[in-house]
Structures are given as C-alpha cells and as structure tokens.
Amino acid sequence: MASPAERYAAARRRDAERRTHLATFTDGIGFELDPFQVQACQALEAGRGVLVAAPTGAGKTVVGEFAVHLALVTGRKAFYTTPIKALSNQKYTELVARHGAASVGLLTGDNTVNGDAPVVVMTTEVLRNMLYAGSSTLAGLGYVVMDEVHYLADRFRGAVWEEVIIHLPSDVLVASLSATVSNAEEFGAWLDTVRGDTEIVVSEHRPVPLWQHLAVGTRLYDLFTDPAGDPLEGDEGSLVPGAIVNPELVALARQQVRADRLTRGPGRDRRRGPVRGPRPGTPGRAQVLEVLDAAGLLPAITFIFSRAGCDAAVQQCMAWGIKLTTPEEQREIRRRVEERCADIPSADLAVLGYWEWLDGLEHGLAAHHAGLLPTFKETVEHLFAAGLVKAVFATETLALGVNMPARSVVLEKLVKWNGQAHVDITPGEYTQLTGRAGRRGIDVEGHAVVLWTPGTDPEAVAGLASRRTFPLRSSFRPTYNMAVNLVEQVGRQPARDILETSFAQFQADRAVVGLAKRIRTQQEALAGYREAMTCHLGDFAEYHRLRQEVSEREKDMSRATQVQRRAEAAASLEGLKPGDVIRLPGGRRAGFAVVLDPGAPRGFEGPQPRILTADRQVKLLTAADVTTAVERIARVKVPKDFNWRSPHARRDLASSLRNALAEIGGGEPLPGRGRARSGAADDERLVELRAALRAHPCHGCADREEHARWAQREEKLARETRALAKRVESRTATIARTFDHVCDVLTTLGYLTPDGSAVTDQGRLLRRIYAETDLLVAQCVRHGAWRTLDGPGLAAVVSSLVHEARREEVGQSARLPRGTDEAMAATVRLWSELTDLEEAHHVPLTREPDAGLAWAVHRWARGHRLDEVLRDADLSAGDFVRRCKQLVDLLDQIAEAAGDDPLRAVARDALDSVRRGVVAYSSVG
C-alpha cells in the first residue's frame, strides 16, 4: 500500500496533468489516448519537436491534431501539410468539422480557401514555395505538421519535404508523422541536428490485430499457425515462439509443384500416374467478394496494380450479379452522389462515365485510381468511409494516406510494375498496403488476404508479412529553382553549407564512417604486408613492379598473337574452293578434310565452308574451329551431282581423300611449316624489362618467392583500399558538389553572375517557377519561344512540359495544333541545348517535352465539348483533368514570372481558357 507521501505526490501529479493543454484536448476528443500518443503530445507541449513512426491506422494523426490545438490555444498559427491534394481536402474537411470554417483554411494550388486562417491545410509544395517567396502568411507560425513524412523517399517529389524541414524558421515546432520505418532513429537523429530537440516516438503495435490469409479457390487459409494447427495473428503470429507457416498451405504448394512437373511438356514422366487431389486455383474477383461477404469480412479494398484492372473488376462483379447494398442504402448512395456531383455540367456526365459509375456505386462497388475524375474519387472515399460502398478495387496510390480503412485488404498479386520492370513488392510496401485492414473503434480485427496464383510460395508470403524492413532513404538533390532561391536568400557559400545539412548528406556521411573504419583497418594490414616483403638486398616493391610489367607485357603480346592468328585463320577460309584438300590445325576439327562448298561470306565471321572429313563426317567449318590458318595440300574431284547426305557418296569421296593424302606422303607437314614464332622474342620493350629484372639486386634473393607472395597480397589489398577511398570521396560532400554543378549551368546561362555568387534578373524570373522543368520554362520565357502564340496555343505548347506519356503511349506521334509548330520546335531546340549543357556539367538531364496532350488541350481551350476532346485524345477523364490542373498551375507561374512582358496577359488568357467546366470544378467541403 502506498504511503501518505506517495499518495499526496500522485494527487499533485494528477492535478497538474488536469491543468495541461493535453488534458483539455483529451476531454474534447472523447477517447483515451494510447501511450505513444501521450508521449508525443507531451513532447510538443514541452516545446520539443516530435517524430512519430507508427503503423497505418494506429492514430498518429491525433498528434498532428494536438499541434493544431496548441496553436489555437496559444494564439499561434499551425500548418498541416500532406503529400497529395486529396488528403489535404480530406484533412481540411475534418478540421473544419472540429474547429469551424472560420479557423481553418486550405491551400493546394487548385484551391485557396481562407488562406489567412490560424490553421491552414496545404500540400507540402505550397509550403516550400511560401518559404522561398518569404510569404507574409508565415508570420506567427508556431507548428507545422508533416503528415506522411516518409514520402521524402519518393524519387520525384521527396526532396520537397527536406527543403521544408531545413528552411522552416528555427522557432517553429515540427510534428513529423511517418509510417513504421526501420531507421526511425537515424531519421530522428537528423531532425534533432537540423531542427533542434526532437523526440523520437516509435510504436509497432497495431491497435486492431491483423490476421493473414491465403485464398485458395473459395477457401481462406490462415497463413500462420501454432504447431497444433491453431491460427495466429499475422502481425505478431510469426514472432510467437513455435509459430509456423500453415502446413496445409505448404502441402498445397508442394502438390502444385509436383503437378506442374508431371504435366510439363512432352518429356514428362508418365510412370508416376496422375496427381491425386484438387489442384489449388486462383479465385475470381466476384468469388472473392462472395467469400468475404459470407465470412463477414466486408468492407474490403482489393489492390490491383492496374487502372484497367480496377475498372474491369467492377464490371466483372456486376456481370456476376454481385449486389452488396440494400434498397435503402442504394437510395442514400444516389442522394449523396447527386449532391456531390451537382456542379458537374450535365452535358459532360455521359462522357465521364457517370451513369455506369453510379450503377456500380449502387451495387456497393467502386474503382479508385488516378484515372478517375477527382470528384468521383472523393465521392468514392466519402461513400466507403460511410459504409455505403462495401468493395473498392484500387491501385496502390490509395495506400498513400487517404483515410479509407477497411475490415479486409485483398492483394491480387505480389508483383507490380515499377515503371521499368515487373518486380516483387517489398516487405515495406506489403505492410503499407495491408495496414488499411482493421478500422479502429469499429473492427475487433483486420484481415489481409493474398490470392493464390500459380507459383505462390506460402513461405515467401509469410516472409513479407512478418518482416519490418522499410528503411527511409533520402531522394534529395538540388534543383535549379532551389539553387537560385538559396543563393538569393543567403549567398552561394552559405547555401552550400545549408545543403550539407540535408538528410541525404546525413545518410551518406553515416555510411562513410563505416567505410573509413575499413580503410584504417586495411591500411594497418598493408603496413604489415610491406614489412613482410622487405628484402635485405634491395627495394622489393620496385622488383615486384618489374615482375608485374613483364607479366603484363607478355600477356599483351600473347593476346596480340592470338588475335593475329585468328585473323589469319578467318582469311584462310575465304580462298577455299570445292575439291581442296586441307589440313586443319589444332582445334575441334583437327585433321584432314575435303571442301564440298566454300560457303558465302558472313561479315566479320567470314565464310563457313562445308567439309567432309577423312572419317566421312560432314561439318560446317567456322573460324572458331581452327586456331591458325588452314593449309591447302592437294585437290580431289568432287562430282557435280555429289549428295553429301548420301552415305555411299560420302564413302567414295572419303576414299578419294585418303588416296590423295597417300600420294603426298600421308599429309605430313612440310619442312619449315611448323608453329609460328612468337612475337615476344622480338619485342624490344619486353627484352629490356627482362634484362632489368635479372639485373635487380632482389633477383638473387633466396627468399624471393616468399617476398613475392607478400607483395601480391599487398598489391591486392592496396587496390581494394584505393577503391574504398574512392567510394568515400564520392559520398563526401555529394550534395554540395551537385549544387556546384547546378550553379555552373546557371552561371553559363546567365541566371547567376559570372562568379556564381549572386542572382541576376533572369535568375529572379527562375525563382518564380517551381515546375519539374523549371529551367526549360525559364529559357522559353526568356528567349521568347512562345511570343507568337495566343492563349489556347500557349496552353497547348506548355502542356508538353507537364504531360508525360504512360508506358503504353510511348512512341505514338503527337498531333500539333495549327500555328504552334514554330513555338514547339523552339521549345525542343532550347531543351536540346540545355541537355547538352547539363551533360557537360554532369547534371541530371531535363525531361524531354512531350506534345502528346497538345491537341486535346488546344481543343479544350478553344471551347470544345469534353466528349470531343477525350475522344480525340484517347485519355481518361481523370487523367485529362489532372494534367489540366497541373497545366493551370504552371501557366500561373509563367504569368507571374513574365512580369511586364505581353506573355503575362497571354498566359492569363490560356489559364482562364483551360480552367473551365470539370477542370474548374472542385468538391472541397
């Protein structure tokens, strides 16, 4: 029992906790926080930054919401950043519901809603741009929440997260929310270095247990069991002592391997008889939904790594007769859909596939991928979260952070296309995808289902399900826009120093520590080797170098001789005629033969004569069959009607060959026709080296060979050490060196002063352009490449800088609108000049303009109907709208960068002509 003093201290502690901001916040949310949430929130209230790494669905966003609460109660601002606009829209809606529309704003590039509010939700790029522009909105900023911060590993956009973390004012507290990563401590250590005191909070506990299954046919098998065969939870099952992969699944896999072996090709073993028992099969999509529905495992998200596959899945399930909704739910779905899509022009509904999409929703089915209209995607997310849509077929982009938890997650395959090849998904990707299963506060358990396909290995699936290897790797590299902004703000050398604090350089420097340690160890070993090879007669290192030179020179001479002999051998085959009796030197065909057909020349390989050997074998002779030139020693008559396939004809000709050889003495080599003299004996340099070797004092040492062995070891280790040192050099200051290369390009083009220390007027133009092709855009503006264009024409040409053809579209010729050819050619010419310069300065090359969208954009900007535009463009509505929104963003940047140039007005006209209809409509709210 506690003493009176202990009870008094506990009471004081509880009283203090009740007076904290965290206590007020907790009272308002209506549920008890988990320990990791409490730890992170207490760190924020104590004035420390936090890194929270926890599984999907664990509730880490509560920490971000507490940062918002702290900002509001202390009179400061909070920015809540997300990687994608859809997640920003969703978080904006949630915060408005909690704090009211007057207190919350939204900035995504597409939308500006109450941007001066004390709490603003935005994409990370918007915050980066505000930092570089020195926006007045930053005044009073106290907290920044970086949701999905692990996105900094993204090779296309990840650098933005590091830019924000590095450039935020030092008094701003950062709450970084990440999926579970295996190097959270490393990332936290970097945050501590660049942001000051940062607490690392890691939780691997899932609040809703996850069960892992394999679906074989229409049956669900548990992936993990105990030795008695009882199932175990998947997220912890593999860690339970004695846990094993389900023996039934292992037996099924072996059975399939045996069945495949017995049915493979004409050489199969028929003696074993048929394989007994049913062969495991892949269930259909509709069958999977029926199984999940019967087991009470809906709602479910099925991940299909293909947009077309997601759309096809909905159609297949409807054709199968799947209906997962009641009449009341169908009426509610229609009401909500009509409400959310009310602003879409009715003339566009048919071309958008609205009616088919609505039909699927009323059945409780939907697809979710980047090709959907944003409004449609947001409606699917809304209906799924409301429990009205029961089955969603989605690409992996849904796993990025959009709040769509489900009871079950289904993976059709464990292989995906990564843009270059089909690759296995990683344990980190598997964890991210299956993390959607299990809704906190709704489900007592979540379920991950992998569909059985031919070749499925249950052990491999178990490895994916049980490993926690998702290291965060920086994708940071300096860009042109970043360079001019940094040089303008702080100067060239300070900018270089700032970039040295990036996470990319932090990771590189940590790797260098281990390499440097290896180098020191090897240098100590080298000293021992050199001592062991010391000779009392002279410098053995010098003697060893002479031996190496002799050896290398002999190898070079040998290779040269071999090349010459091969050339002579190939040339000797070219002059052969039918009836020539030849002596074949060493090689696979050594002996005598008669030429039947000299063969036609075959490029570098020479001809391939058909020959008959003395033992009646007919063969094709190639240069690879002879080591030196063939020698013609006699002739025999080959009948004109000779059929080399006839055994009788071959026997008669072989007899003639033997008779001809007997007449010339059996074909013995003529005097003086032996093996060619090696050129090594006549090489002056080799003669000099051998003489120097014999004259060296160490040549007469009794322990010469022992010393030589140590010298060889020393040479090999020294070579390895030099390679390690080169790796260290390549990793040290890599970001700063890349920054220097980028600045060299900018200096050459006049965006920095000749000494590279300051930004020119042209550089200030570049400061306003944040696109991936930033410098190319600036070059086009600066050189007047688009000066002759009207608004729609400018929109068409600029679309080539935002559009990038998907894999199946690469290679298709682009159709250009009339009057844009000259501007497009100027754009491509400037791109070509820029990439030549980039290549010379070892800078990553700017992507080539892609005019594949130009015709469609031009027609849209001219006022054509959406159905006409999409028909000619062969694009999905979602892709077209997304590209147009990116185009609007870039046109806005061009208008700002153009200043007083007439291009500014044209860019505004282009922007207005593109931003209409479905492109202008947004469903935020």
Side-chain angles (χ1 to χ4, degrees):
M1 185 174 177
S3 67
E6 290 171 334
R7 291 198 298 272
Y8 175 73
R12 288 285 302 272
R13 192 162 52 248
R14 286 192 299 271
D15 185 56
E17 288 172 356
R18 278 195 293 268
R19 291 197 297 267
T20 64
H21 293 308
L22 179 56
T24 307
F25 174 75
T26 306
D27 290 341
I29 60 176
F31 59 85
E32 188 175 344
L33 298 184
D34 289 340
F36 85 91
Q37 295 169 324
V38 172
Q39 180 187 352
C41 292
Q42 287 176 341
L44 280 174
E45 188 165 359
R48 298 191 297 275
V50 291
L51 166 64
V52 183
T56 300
K60 51 185 175 286
T61 55
V62 168
V63 180
E65 290 166 8
F66 179 64
V68 169
H69 172 81
L70 281 176
L72 290 173
V73 298
T74 58
R76 304 191 72 185
K77 287 184 179 179
F79 289 170
Y80 197 112
T81 70
T82 73
I84 53 178
K85 294 172 184 175
L87 187 54
S88 292
N89 295 341
Q90 193 173 73
K91 182 54 65 175
Y92 167 76
T93 303
E94 292 173 5
L95 291 176
V96 165
R98 181 172 176 81
H99 302 290
S103 298
V104 184
L106 175 69
L107 296 172
T108 64
D110 291 343
N111 300 292
T112 299
V113 180
N114 197 15
D116 293 324
V119 178
V120 183
V121 183
M122 62 185 68
T123 52
T124 317
E125 279 88 352
V126 169
L127 178 53
R128 185 273 311 272
N129 299 350
M130 290 169 63
L131 288 168
Y132 282 149
S135 171
S136 59
T137 309
L138 295 167
L141 181 63
Y143 300 88
V144 168
V145 180
M146 304 201 74
D147 204 353
E148 307 288 336
V149 73
H150 55 271
Y151 207 86
L152 67 78
D154 182 79
R155 62 194 179 108
F156 297 112
R157 296 170 55 215
V160 176
W161 274 253
E162 290 188 51
E163 289 181 81
V164 168
I165 291 169
I166 291 171
H167 299 309
L168 276 171
S170 58
D171 62 335
V172 174
L173 289 183
V174 177
S176 303
L177 312 181
S178 170
T180 306
V181 293
S182 53
N183 62 334
E185 289 75 13
E186 179 186 42
F187 184 49
W190 173 70
L191 286 171
D192 196 74
T193 301
V194 295
R195 300 297 315 164
D197 194 4
T198 301
E199 186 154 340
I200 304 168
V201 181
V202 178
S203 173
E204 294 196 3
H205 172 69
R206 283 181 51 94
V208 180
L210 179 66
W211 296 76
Q212 305 277 356
H213 310 277
L214 269 174
V216 184
T218 56
R219 179 179 170 186
L220 289 181
Y221 289 84
D222 292 300
L223 182 58
F224 295 107
T225 70
D226 61 18
D230 294 325
L232 295 171
E233 293 171 21
D235 58 336
E236 298 167 354
S238 61
L239 305 177
V240 175
I244 58 174
V245 177
N246 192 331
E248 289 186 83
L249 289 172
V250 175
L252 280 172
R254 289 174 181 164
Q255 175 182 307
Q256 182 173 15
V257 169
R258 183 178 173 221
D260 291 343
R261 193 177 295 143
L262 293 177
T263 58
R264 191 184 301 133
R268 60 184 181 272
D269 184 357
R270 295 186 177 88
R271 293 173 298 172
R272 294 176 178 244
V275 178
R276 301 193 180 278
R279 292 190 63 187
T282 304
R285 289 160 176 165
Q287 289 176 296
V288 172
L289 286 189
E290 288 181 335
V291 170
L292 295 177
D293 192 20
L297 299 183
L298 294 180
I301 299 171
T302 300
F303 283 107
I304 302 173
F305 301 118
S306 156
R307 297 182 186 183
C310 293
D311 294 332
V314 174
Q315 297 305 314
Q316 290 163 8
C317 292
M318 291 177 63
W320 187 272
I322 296 288
K323 182 170 282 190
L324 304 173
T325 52
T326 65
E328 293 77 14
E329 289 174 327
Q330 292 170 28
R331 286 191 291 272
E332 181 62 16
I333 287 169
R334 179 175 284 269
R335 185 189 68 78
R336 296 194 187 196
V337 169
E338 290 175 349
E339 178 183 303
R340 298 179 74 88
C341 298
D343 291 338
I344 298 179
S346 57
D348 293 337
L349 292 178
V351 69
L352 292 172
Y354 171 84
W355 303 111
E356 297 84 352
W357 172 69
L358 176 58
D359 192 22
L361 293 177
E362 290 181 333
H363 281 71
L365 306 166
H368 187 287
H369 54 72
L372 284 179
L373 192 70
T375 304
F376 286 8
K377 273 202 305 183
E378 292 165 17
T379 302
V380 169
E381 293 160 11
H382 168 74
L383 293 174
F384 191 79
L388 295 170
V389 167
K390 312 298 174 62
V392 168
F393 300 92
T395 55
E396 63 178 321
T397 53
L398 187 145
L400 282 178
V402 176
N403 186 23
M404 282 182 63
R407 181 167 297 167
S408 303
V409 163
V410 180
L411 300 185
E412 279 205 342
K413 295 180 180 178
L414 299 178
V415 174
K416 69 168 188 173
W417 175 260
N418 69 354
Q420 297 175 322
H422 286 95
V423 297
D424 295 334
I425 66 172
T426 65
E429 290 167 334
Y430 183 92
T431 301
Q432 187 84 351
L433 294 170
T434 58
R436 294 271 160 217
R439 296 165 296 175
R440 186 169 190 176
I442 302 175
D443 300 320
V444 295
E445 59 192 30
H447 297 264
V449 181
V450 175
L451 302 193
W452 183 284
T453 57
T456 296
D457 179 2
E459 301 277 359
V461 179
L464 283 174
S466 59
R467 288 167 61 195
R468 294 288 185 268
T469 53
F470 180 30
L472 202 55
R473 294 282 177 258
S474 172
S475 60
F476 183 84
R477 69 174 180 84
T479 64
Y480 298 116
N481 174 272
M482 185 192 305
V484 292
N485 272 296
L486 284 175
V487 173
E488 176 78 349
Q489 287 181 345
V490 299
R492 173 75 175 266
Q493 186 56 45
R496 201 176 188 274
D497 296 338
I498 287 173
L499 293 179
E500 288 276 59
T501 66
S502 67
F503 186 44
Q505 192 59 57
F506 184 82
Q507 288 188 310
D509 290 344
R510 280 201 161 192
V512 163
V513 172
L515 292 175
K517 185 177 180 180
R518 283 180 59 189
I519 289 173
R520 286 195 300 273
T521 302
Q522 291 185 187
Q523 286 173 338
E524 293 172 3
L526 284 170
Y529 288 175
R530 288 171 187 140
E531 185 177 347
M533 63 185 258
T534 302
C535 179
H536 66 288
L537 296 177
D539 185 351
F540 199 87
E542 180 183 64
Y543 178 74
H544 180 69
R545 283 194 294 272
L546 278 172
R547 284 178 65 142
Q548 290 298 101
E549 284 191 64
V550 169
S551 176
E552 287 300 319
R553 189 68 180 177
E554 288 174 342
K555 289 176 183 176
D556 290 343
M557 295 299 298
S558 176
R559 281 192 289 267
T561 301
Q562 288 177 5
V563 169
Q564 182 180 355
R565 286 175 180 166
R566 289 291 184 189
E568 291 173 354
S572 70
L573 299 179
E574 295 177 359
L576 297 179
K577 297 177 181 178
D580 283 344
V581 176
I582 57 176
R583 183 203 318 277
L584 302 177
R588 293 184 295 172
R589 309 284 192 228
F592 299 96
V594 59
V595 177
L596 304 178
D597 179 359
R602 296 168 59 90
F604 293 111
E605 299 177 2
Q608 294 184 356
R610 178 172 278 111
I611 60 173
L612 175 71
T613 64
D615 57 359
R616 297 184 242 173
Q617 297 292 316
V618 175
K619 301 181 184 298
L620 285 177
L621 190 65
T622 69
D625 296 322
V626 291
T627 55
T628 57
V630 299
E631 180 184 353
R632 282 177 283 188
I633 58 176
R635 283 189 58 79
V636 296
K637 183 175 178 59
V638 179
K640 288 185 179 181
D641 58 351
F642 179 77
N643 181 5
W644 59 268
R645 290 186 173 86
S646 167
H648 179 75
R650 291 200 305 271
R651 185 181 66 237
D652 290 348
L653 189 57
S655 177
S656 299
L657 170 61
R658 287 192 294 273
N659 292 337
L661 291 174
E663 290 176 5
I664 59 173
E668 291 298 321
L670 297 174
R673 298 296 296 272
R675 189 175 179 87
R677 172 184 169 90
S678 169
D682 301 323
D683 184 67
E684 293 183 5
R685 177 58 181 160
L686 187 56
V687 171
E688 290 175 5
L689 288 171
R690 284 171 174 168
L693 187 69
R694 289 191 294 270
H696 197 281
C698 293
H699 192 67
C701 179
D703 297 322
R704 182 182 66 195
E705 295 309 311
E706 178 69 16
H707 294 329
R709 281 191 286 273
W710 284 109
Q712 288 173 341
R713 293 171 188 163
E714 189 273 345
E715 179 191 23
K716 180 181 178 182
L717 190 60
R719 188 165 57 247
E720 293 175 359
T721 305
R722 285 193 297 272
L724 285 175
K726 193 171 183 180
R727 286 173 61 188
V728 168
E729 182 183 355
S730 68
R731 294 187 182 191
T732 303
T734 50
I735 302 299
R737 279 202 303 276
T738 303
F739 175 70
D740 289 340
H741 296 323
V742 166
C743 288
D744 289 343
V745 172
L746 293 172
T747 300
T748 302
L749 294 176
Y751 292 89
L752 297 178
T753 55
D755 62 356
S757 63
V759 176
T760 63
D761 289 341
Q762 300 299 337
R764 293 184 184 93
L765 179 156
L766 178 57
R767 287 191 66 194
R768 300 187 181 98
I769 300 171
Y770 301 100
E772 179 190 355
T773 52
D774 48 7
L775 186 52
L776 178 57
V777 173
Q779 284 287 89
C780 290
V781 172
R782 174 184 175 187
H783 291 282
W786 304 328
R787 193 167 291 154
T788 61
L789 297 171
D790 60 4
L794 179 64
V797 173
V798 173
S799 74
S800 69
L801 303 181
V802 298
H803 180 62
E804 189 170 6
R806 299 182 69 207
R807 178 169 55 104
E808 59 269 25
E809 300 165 348
V810 173
Q812 297 179 6
S813 58
R815 183 179 179 184
L816 292 177
R818 183 179 301 172
T820 64
D821 302 60
E822 184 179 334
M824 194 68 229
T827 302
V828 172
R829 184 177 64 254
L830 288 168
W831 166 79
S832 179
E833 293 170 358
L834 174 58
T835 52
D836 288 344
L837 187 61
E838 289 172 328
E839 194 166 18
H841 287 281
H842 309 290
V843 172
L845 304 185
T846 297
R847 177 174 61 80
E848 182 177 2
D850 185 338
L853 196 63
W855 179 258
V857 164
H858 189 265
R859 285 170 63 79
W860 177 253
R862 285 284 184 202
H864 285 262
R865 296 197 318 270
L866 183 63
D867 59 334
E868 297 173 340
V869 173
L870 294 182
R871 184 176 61 247
D872 291 344
D874 192 25
L875 277 173
S876 73
D879 283 330
F880 179 73
V881 170
R882 190 175 73 257
R883 292 297 190 203
C884 283
K885 285 179 177 290
Q886 293 169 345
L887 175 59
V888 165
D889 190 27
L890 181 53
L891 287 169
D892 186 46
Q893 294 174 30
I894 291 170
E896 288 297 319
D900 296 330
D901 192 282
L903 180 64
R904 180 186 182 92
V906 178
R908 288 292 175 202
D909 178 53
L911 188 155
D912 292 337
S913 64
V914 173
R915 190 168 56 191
R916 67 178 184 86
V918 291
V919 176
Y921 173 66
S922 173
S923 61
V924 174

